[in-house]
Amino acid sequence: MSLKGTRRRGSELEDAILSAAWAVLIEQGYPNFTYEAVAARAETSRPVLYRRWPQREDMLLAVLRRHWWSQPIPVPDTGNLRDDVITFLRSASTARTRMVAMLSVQIMDYIRETGSSFAQLRDALRPAGLPNAFEQMIARAVERGELPDRPRPPRMVNMPFDLFRNELLMTMREIPDETIIEIVDVLWLPLLGYRGRAG
């Protein structure tokens, strides 16, 4: 049934717009991600979009934020850091590979046009003030006595996901289990001073 003739408001209207905008982005790419195309797909008017997102970049970030965080990857709590991180990376490989592959192609024009970077885009999409998954897993490991309680630079904390993301962008395929285990066991845990479960 067509949406024309129905009066949508609030979250119902915004959901319809963001769903339409996602479809335009994936099917047509960022160059065709315009107010006109999104309004036509959502069967609404351009002023409705302008009121919510005055700049095209605002609309893009709203779309990416909605679809990236609509299915968050749970932060495991298995009882030890090693299994937590391996479980998290396996879940990320299953859940994010297809989306990252699509977006790395469709968003490249946005990166070029705005002179920004994937790191800046990631920071814009990340919820402010919340610890990321690796900060949470390390904090629990410290409480359990698996790690010494000392400051660690963000690059060290996030190294498994940085290596994972690099592998994903280079291959555009799900990450093999042996690669995940190598990242965790060979590279990361020794760097952290991991000593396993206390006792």
Side-chain angles (χ1 to χ4, degrees), residues 86-108:
I86 289 174
T87 301
F88 181 86
L89 292 178
R90 284 171 175 161
S91 298
S93 179
T94 301
R96 295 287 192 244
T97 299
R98 183 169 177 269
M99 185 180 292
V100 167
M102 286 190 301
L103 291 180
S104 63
V105 173
Q106 306 294 33
I107 297 301
M108 191 54 68

Side-chain angles (χ1 to χ4, degrees), residues 6 11 24 26 47 49 59 71 75-76 104 126 146-147 158 179 188 197:
T6 63
S11 60
V24 170
I26 294 305
L49 273 59
M59 184 167 62
Q71 296 180 322
V75 181
S104 63
R126 181 178 291 164
E146 298 173 79
L147 291 175
N158 297 311
T179 301
W188 193 55
R197 255 179 274 196

Side-chain angles (χ1 to χ4, degrees), residues 175-193:
I175 308 305
D177 215 47
E178 56 268 25
T179 301
I180 290 173
I181 291 171
E182 181 183 29
I183 288 171
V184 176
D185 284 351
V186 178
L187 302 175
W188 193 55
L189 292 180
L191 184 63
L192 290 177

Side-chain angles (χ1 to χ4, degrees), residues 58-184:
D58 300 329
M59 184 167 62
L60 176 69
L61 292 178
V63 169
L64 294 179
R65 197 173 288 117
R66 178 183 189 258
H67 283 271
W68 189 261
W69 296 112
S70 62
Q71 296 180 322
I73 300 169
V75 181
D77 189 1
T78 65
N80 71 86
L81 179 62
R82 179 184 183 272
D83 290 346
D84 284 352
V85 176
I86 289 174
T87 301
F88 181 86
L89 292 178
R90 284 171 175 161
S91 298
S93 179
T94 301
R96 295 287 192 244
T97 299
R98 183 169 177 269
M99 185 180 292
V100 167
M102 286 190 301
L103 291 180
S104 63
V105 173
Q106 306 294 33
I107 297 301
M108 191 54 68
D109 288 302
Y110 163 79
I111 298 293
R112 282 194 292 263
E113 182 179 300
T114 59
S116 59
S117 65
F118 281 110
Q120 289 170 312
L121 181 60
R122 176 202 62 200
D123 292 342
L125 297 177
R126 181 178 291 164
L130 293 177
N132 68 33
F134 289 88
E135 291 168 342
Q136 294 177 53
M137 290 185 282
I138 283 181
R140 287 201 299 251
V142 169
E143 289 175 4
R144 290 190 296 253
E146 298 173 79
L147 291 175
D149 186 4
R150 62 180 182 229
R152 293 176 173 87
R155 195 178 299 276
M156 179 189 294
V157 171
N158 297 311
M159 190 180 81
F161 199 74
D162 290 340
L163 294 174
F164 169 91
R165 182 174 52 239
N166 179 70
E167 194 77 20
L168 185 56
L169 289 171
M170 293 299 291
T171 65
M172 296 296 178
R173 295 187 176 132
E174 289 191 23
I175 308 305
D177 215 47
E178 56 268 25
T179 301
I180 290 173
I181 291 171
E182 181 183 29
I183 288 171
V184 176

